[in-house]
Structure formats: C-alpha cells, structure tokens
Amino acid sequence: MNLVIYILRRLAISIPVLLVGTFLCFVMVAGTGDPLGELRQNPTISKDALAATAAKLGLDQGIVPRYFSWLGHFLSGDWGTSIAQGNALAPVAPKVLAAFGVTLKLVVGAEILALIIGIIVGVLAAVKQYSIIDYLATTLAFLLFSMPIFCVAIVLKNYAIEVNGWVRDLGLQDVLGNPWLRTTSPEQLKTDGVGDFITSTIGAYLLPTLSIMAISFAAYSRFQRASMLEVMNSDYVRTARAKGLANGRVIFRHAFRNALIPVTTLFSVNFGSVLAGAIITETVFNWHGMGTLLVEAVTKNDTQVMMGWLVVIATSVIVANLIADLMYGILDPRIRVG
C-alpha cells in the first residue's frame, strides 16, 4: 500500500513539472525568431496570404493564449504541422516520433549496457581497492572521460573501415555477405535473408552503441566505486563483518543495494542528456534520429517541430526521473515511507 501511495505521489508531482516545462519550452521557441520569416521574403506571397497563415497557426495571438491553444491540440494528438519551406503542412507528430524511435533504440541499449558494465567494474574496483583491477578501471575511466564523444565516434568509424578493408582483402567478405562493421544506420542496409539481416543490424548498432557507452560507462563505474567504498566503510557494514558474516554476503546483501542509489540518480539524469545529445553520434554514423531532426528544425526555424522535439525530450527526462524515484523506493523502503 505504501508503494502505491508513493507512486501516486510522484506522479502528482511529475504532471505539474511537465506542464511548467512545456510552457517554458514554448516561450523559448516562440522567442527564437519569426516562423514566417522565409515566407515574408518570398515576393510571390501576398500580405493577405501571410495574415491568413499567421491566423491559422495562431501567431496573431499572445503567448499565453497560443500556449493553451497548442496544449489543447497537443493533448488531443494534434502536434501541429511543419511550417518550413519544402516541408509545409507535413504533420509534426509522425516525424518527431519516428526520429525518437530511431534514437531511443540506440540510446536505450547503449545506456543499459553501460550501466551494467559500469556497476560491475565499479563494484570490483571498490572491493579490490588499490589492486591492479582498481588501477586499470580508474585509468580506463579517466581516459574515456578525457575523450570527447565525437573523437570516440570518429576513431571507431575509421578503425571499422580499416577492419572491413582487411576482411575484404583476406577474402572473408562472403562469410556474412555485408561489411562486418557497418558505419551507416540500419534503415540504409540492404539485406538478403534473415541471417544477413541479423548480422547487418548488429554491425550497424555496434559502433554507435560503443560510442555512447564510452563516457556513460566511465561515469557509472566511478560513481559506483565511490558509492560502494562509502557504504562499505559505514557502521552497519562493519557490524555485519563483526558478526562473522561471509564477505560475499556482506557485500551483496548489505552494501550493494544501498550503493546503487547514487548511480540510479546519475542514470536518470544522464539518460535524458544522452537522449538529447546523441546528435554527434547520429551525425558521424548517419543515423536519422532526434539529433538530425533538431538541426534541421533549427536551421529552418521550424517552431512546430522544435516544440514537438522539446516536449518529447522533456517528457523522457521526467519519466526517467520518475523511474529513478520508484527505484529509490524499491532499493530503500525508508524513502517511500518518508
């Protein structure tokens, strides 16, 4: 019962936060410039046509009435239409959701793998403090921290091209039918058969997944190590050791669960930032996701698409934080009681 009340309370907090977030996004997008600027420069479009278009899009109203009008349409499933030249009157929702699906498939896998591997490495580094494992994990984490993600992506892509060249020179290309390491998005693959599809898809996801994993893994492993060390030096862990409990039981039954709470917080914050910041990885590997969509929308000053993009990202961040809040209640029941 306490868990249900805790969930409802968090949901009640999340909804106003999302509304405030969408309003701030709407104000910022509205201040980026004139959405009809390109149309106004077109001498073939009359002033009456411009006025009719502005009225249709609600641009002749104040910011607050426009927001509530947009919100009502958005909640009903109408996200508006694109106002960019060459893409005018195209529905925004399918375009944004399609791009979101592409980025989500990439980011979710990368973040989950980075979290799992980071937790394992962080726990091992803490348990084996000042050992060769700890030194190697620390060195790798700082090395990855010091490399910008575009550098990691470009290096991986260049090495992939080299590996594919070696495979081709050795006459092994026909084993899989496609280059072993793909440097383009899955939708651009031409496959023949189920086996070819599986190997090509894995190859297409491998490099961008590793690029996103690199920095996230470094952060998760360092946070997990620091959190684990702090918990292992706490009074209740020392008491458990004094009672003669086995070392493995002390670590995984008493220390590990509480040490996950800071990493859960980091994951919820990092997930939203990675989702919004995947533009570099998508550009390097030619993925048509949220990053590509945002660049296109900003370049063309397509406010409807920008607003849809911001709302989807804001919702994702709030959902990620909501999941983190629920995980707190599972990891430490005292939180949901409080």
Side-chain angles (χ1 to χ4, degrees):
M1 186 63 182
N2 287 335
L3 182 59
V4 174
I5 296 175
Y6 178 77
I7 293 173
L8 293 176
R9 187 166 65 237
R10 292 301 175 183
L11 284 173
I13 295 173
S14 299
I15 293 174
V17 170
L18 182 58
L19 289 175
V20 172
T22 57
F23 178 73
L24 293 177
C25 289
F26 191 88
V27 172
M28 288 188 293
V29 169
T32 57
D34 183 6
L36 302 180
E38 291 188 13
L39 295 178
R40 297 185 193 282
Q41 296 176 3
N42 192 335
T44 62
I45 300 178
S46 64
K47 293 183 179 180
D48 292 338
L50 286 172
T53 303
K56 182 179 180 180
L57 296 174
L59 299 176
D60 57 341
Q61 303 176 11
I63 189 69
V64 175
R66 285 168 55 191
Y67 168 73
F68 283 106
S69 175
W70 169 87
L71 181 63
H73 286 88
F74 188 88
L75 294 176
S76 66
D78 179 14
W79 293 18
T81 57
S82 175
I83 59 176
Q85 286 188 335
N87 197 28
L89 303 182
V92 169
K95 189 172 185 178
V96 173
L97 293 177
F100 180 69
V102 172
T103 301
L104 193 64
K105 286 187 291 185
L106 176 62
V107 170
V108 168
E111 283 296 289
I112 290 177
L113 287 174
L115 180 65
I116 294 173
I117 299 174
I119 288 175
I120 294 173
V121 172
V123 171
L124 288 175
V127 173
K128 304 290 185 180
Q129 188 179 17
Y130 303 131
S131 66
I132 186 64
I133 295 176
D134 187 18
Y135 288 130
L136 287 175
T138 301
T139 302
L140 179 60
F142 283 117
L143 177 64
L144 294 176
F145 267 133
S146 65
M147 296 180 65
I149 190 169
F150 73 87
C151 182
V152 175
I154 292 174
V155 168
L156 287 175
K157 184 174 182 177
N158 289 336
Y159 274 115
I161 294 173
E162 292 291 336
V163 170
N164 288 333
W166 296 338
V167 170
R168 185 173 55 253
D169 293 340
L170 292 173
L172 300 176
Q173 183 66 57
D174 293 335
V175 175
L176 294 179
N178 275 315
W180 289 18
L181 297 174
R182 306 292 301 193
T183 56
T184 56
S185 60
E187 63 265 22
Q188 296 175 333
L189 298 178
K190 294 181 180 180
T191 58
D192 183 17
V194 177
D196 194 24
F197 172 78
I198 293 174
T199 56
S200 297
T201 303
I202 292 175
Y205 274 89
L206 181 61
L207 297 178
T209 297
L210 289 176
S211 300
I212 294 176
M213 276 181 59
I215 305 220
S216 295
F217 158 77
Y220 296 147
S221 64
R222 298 308 297 167
F223 264 75
Q224 184 64 50
R225 178 186 182 277
S227 179
M228 196 72 181
L229 287 174
E230 182 179 356
V231 172
M232 288 175 66
N233 291 323
S234 61
D235 292 338
Y236 69 88
V237 173
R238 285 197 293 266
T239 301
R241 292 186 187 277
K243 289 181 178 180
L245 296 179
N247 189 49
R249 184 178 177 85
V250 171
I251 292 173
F252 293 103
R253 186 68 181 271
H254 295 275
F256 178 66
R257 188 170 178 174
N258 287 327
L260 283 177
I261 293 179
V263 182
T264 302
T265 303
L266 177 63
F267 178 79
S268 65
V269 174
N270 191 60
F271 183 82
S273 62
V274 171
L275 193 65
I279 176 174
I280 297 174
T281 304
E282 290 178 0
T283 301
V284 172
F285 294 103
N286 200 22
W287 282 60
H288 302 295
M290 293 292 279
T292 306
L293 181 66
L294 178 63
V295 171
E296 179 184 335
V298 171
T299 302
K300 297 181 178 180
N301 197 25
D302 197 341
T303 56
Q304 296 285 0
V305 174
M306 281 192 284
M307 193 63 210
W309 188 95
L310 287 168
V311 171
V312 169
I313 294 298
T315 304
S316 301
V317 172
I318 290 176
V319 169
N321 281 274
L322 177 61
I323 294 174
D325 288 340
L326 299 181
M327 288 300 299
Y328 297 156
I330 295 173
L331 295 172
D332 190 349
R334 296 172 299 177
I335 295 177
R336 63 174 183 259
V337 172

